[in-house]
Amino acid sequence: MTNSFARGLIMLPDIAANIDAVRHEITRMCAHADVPENQPELIAVSKVQPLEKVRAALEAGHRVFGENRVQEAEERWGTLKPEYDGVILHLIGSLQTNKAADAVALFDVIQSVDRIKLARALAREMEKQSKSLPIYLQVNTGREDQKGGVLKEDLPALYNECKNLGLSVVGLMCIPPVGDDPSLHFALLKKFAKELGLERLSMGMSGDYALAAAMGATDIRVGTAIFGARDYA
Ligand SMILES: *Cc1c(COP(=O)(O)O)cnc(C)c1O
């Protein structure tokens, strides 16, 4: 008991300082790349992180968070969200059609729309719940079997169907394959967004957010660099 308490104290990082450091680096990189007008949204990815760390971010004034699983997000944010004004929750993980209702109820932005069936389910739920959430289309730029995201050849059809359904598509999102140079994937995402006339680019995580900022990311999803490593144990 004493042990784990002491360890908790020692290991609790300074969340506010980490957020400041990440923001500072984003601003520096935007200036460096001569895109100082770009002020990317910093999405603090709170999945798997203990409540005390998430609260520390909230107490530091941070309000934009990302979660990748609906049920876990409900458990955490169902009570936490009403406690703080202005919390914005992004769903950044793959979504099953049968969770669409729960996702629309809890989240403010859905970044992981990657197939027509899901787009239809979301449109139905948004209508039912009288909500119109901004959505992003997730693109599988690395063509990985195990990863969510639409393949580039299916992107225009998905985009058109979303428009027909009345969904508010604001941008694209990608997760580059581990070990690949992320700049290739960021450049592809930017190209696809331009072709569709979409403004927002959700790209960059703890390992590559500075690069993403320099390449024009509008939404940067950072977990580890803010909260420390996730403990899946
Ligand atoms: C977990 C996750 C992140 C954050 O990853 P870190 O490397 O911890 O910053 C970003 N985007 C998505 C889609 C994730 O699932």
Side-chain angles (χ1 to χ4, degrees), residues 112-180:
S112 44
V113 179
D114 62 357
R115 57 199 192 280
I116 286 174
K117 193 175 165 215
L118 176 60
R120 289 185 181 144
L122 287 170
R124 250 193 327 271
E125 275 312 320
M126 287 188 205
E127 172 143 29
K128 232 193 246 175
Q129 299 182 33
S130 301
K131 282 183 164 180
S132 174
L133 308 184
I135 65 164
Y136 293 64
L137 305 182
Q138 183 181 346
V139 187
N140 189 349
T141 55
R143 309 186 75 84
E144 296 173 284
D145 287 338
Q146 78 281 13
K147 209 166 259 176
V150 63
L151 296 174
K152 70 166 187 231
E153 58 271 26
D154 299 326
L155 176 59
L158 176 60
Y159 173 75
N160 287 331
E161 179 68 12
C162 288
K163 297 304 284 181
N164 290 339
L165 289 164
L167 289 169
S168 167
V169 185
V170 297
L172 302 180
M173 183 269 253
C174 78
I175 309 168
V178 174
D180 258 24

Side-chain angles (χ1 to χ4, degrees), residues 28-107:
R28 194 181 72 82
M29 284 306 283
C30 287
H32 190 58
D34 206 18
V35 287
E37 71 285 357
N38 190 23
Q39 287 292 332
E41 189 79 73
L42 176 58
I43 299 169
V45 179
S46 47
K47 68 184 186 198
V48 187
Q49 299 289 356
L51 196 58
E52 56 185 355
K53 291 187 179 180
V54 183
R55 269 195 195 282
L58 285 160
E59 291 298 330
H62 197 79
R63 288 295 179 270
V64 186
F65 293 86
E67 290 280 348
N68 73 334
R69 295 181 58 198
V70 176
Q71 197 183 330
E72 184 196 335
E74 276 173 337
E75 283 162 18
R76 168 172 305 140
W77 290 101
T79 50
L80 206 50
K81 205 180 182 202
E83 274 185 54
Y84 293 85
D85 275 344
V87 170
I88 306 279
L89 282 186
H90 291 244
L91 178 61
I92 59 172
S94 64
L95 175 59
Q96 283 167 346
T97 311
N98 63 5
K99 294 268 173 62
D102 293 342
V104 169
L106 179 68
F107 287 92

